[in-house]
Amino acid sequence: MSVAVEALPVGALLRTWRERRRFSQQELSNRSRVSTRHLSRVETGKAHPTPEMLMHLSDNLDVPLRDRNRLLLAAGYAPRYQERRWDDASIAVVMDGLRRLLDAHLPYPALLLDDHWDIVDANAAVDQLLTGCAPELLEPPINVVRVCLHPDGLARRIGNLVEWGSHLLQQVSHRAERTHDQRHHELAAEIAGYLRGPDVPTPLTGPVITLEIDVDGDPLRFFSTSATLSTASDAALEGLHLETFLPADHETRRRFDQR
């Protein structure tokens, strides 16, 4: 979020989030059961919202936790949501549990990614997929979307690059639309640049979109699943997600099961 937006008073910030969600005052009133008159007074600065009112409206506007803190600060209240480092002792049990899920997914690849698709951790099977990438792309923080679609990354080994790239671009664009985080918008613009060209995705024929990638001369096919912490009350943990890959054909399963 830009400095200009962060500097707005709380009423203007709320209006910004309402407009981002394409809600009229009436629609937000219907969802939140707060009168349009009161919403108007809050947005124009004629009424000052309580912390509880801010959290209630944030729930109905699906405001990310980081931005809920900004709303609270703009209203003169203390932020409610911490944003801890991954090595913070207070979330060690959570991180240990997630890393156990990475290992439990072996022999198949699995990654723990932050809100911007930077790798927080990964299991040993991921190393097979990253072979041959330019060293600078593997310097931390490693962004898995960039690694997939950069010409010096996995792009040259992905058989259905346009299809898989379109899938990733849709994911990043959707998150940018939800969060309005500048880094999400920049990442979406970057990967859209990698995908420019005359190619169009081939018609989908299978039940799921797959990643088709060449590994050591073997064409492998995976489908992916993503899981998030639905009960996160920490701004960093809110964006954390576990991305797991599973074989989409018998040949891929056979290769990994033999290891």
Side-chain angles (χ1 to χ4, degrees), residues 49-256:
T50 64
E52 292 71 26
M53 174 65 72
L54 287 175
M55 294 303 96
H56 178 61
L57 293 175
S58 293
D59 285 339
N60 286 275
L61 291 169
D62 189 29
V63 178
L65 299 185
R66 289 188 186 95
D67 293 283
R68 296 186 188 208
N69 280 341
R70 293 179 177 126
L71 284 168
L72 288 165
L73 286 168
Y77 304 119
R80 290 191 176 186
Y81 305 101
Q82 294 191 53
E83 187 169 356
R84 298 170 176 87
R85 291 168 49 91
W86 303 126
D87 57 358
D88 192 298
S90 64
I91 60 171
V93 173
V94 175
M95 297 303 293
D96 181 63
L98 292 171
R99 289 184 170 106
R100 286 175 183 267
L101 289 177
L102 292 177
D103 291 336
H105 194 67
L106 288 169
Y108 310 122
L111 308 96
L112 191 59
L113 306 173
D114 72 8
D115 191 40
H116 298 97
W117 283 272
D118 288 343
I119 296 178
V120 176
D121 207 342
N123 68 15
V126 172
D127 291 342
Q128 299 178 60
L129 303 184
L130 299 181
T131 302
C133 291
E136 58 269 21
L137 293 176
L138 302 182
E139 288 291 328
I142 304 171
N143 186 277
V144 72
V145 173
R146 181 177 295 113
V147 167
C148 274
L149 302 182
H150 194 284
D152 295 327
L154 300 180
R156 52 196 167 190
R157 293 198 283 115
I158 295 178
N160 60 336
L161 180 62
V162 176
E163 180 181 279
W164 186 252
S166 298
H167 162 68
L168 293 182
L169 178 58
Q170 182 182 44
Q171 296 295 308
V172 176
S173 299
H174 176 76
R175 191 170 298 177
E177 179 69 18
R178 175 181 179 264
T179 65
H180 288 266
D181 185 316
Q182 186 61 29
R183 281 188 62 192
H184 288 148
H185 286 293
E186 289 171 356
L187 182 60
E190 178 185 346
I191 63 178
Y194 298 146
L195 296 174
R196 289 196 185 104
D199 294 334
V200 295
T202 56
L204 300 178
T205 57
V208 292
I209 297 173
T210 60
L211 168 63
E212 300 174 9
I213 184 169
D214 182 278
V215 177
D216 297 331
D218 293 331
L220 304 179
R221 297 176 67 241
F222 299 94
F223 67 92
S224 66
T225 66
S226 185
T228 61
L229 290 168
S230 59
T231 57
S233 59
D234 177 279
L237 290 177
E238 181 188 34
L240 204 61
H241 55 291
L242 185 70
E243 197 80 18
T244 58
F245 290 86
L246 289 160
D249 59 30
H250 294 298
E251 290 73 17
T252 303
R253 176 178 290 112
R254 187 178 303 114
R255 174 190 169 107
F256 279 82

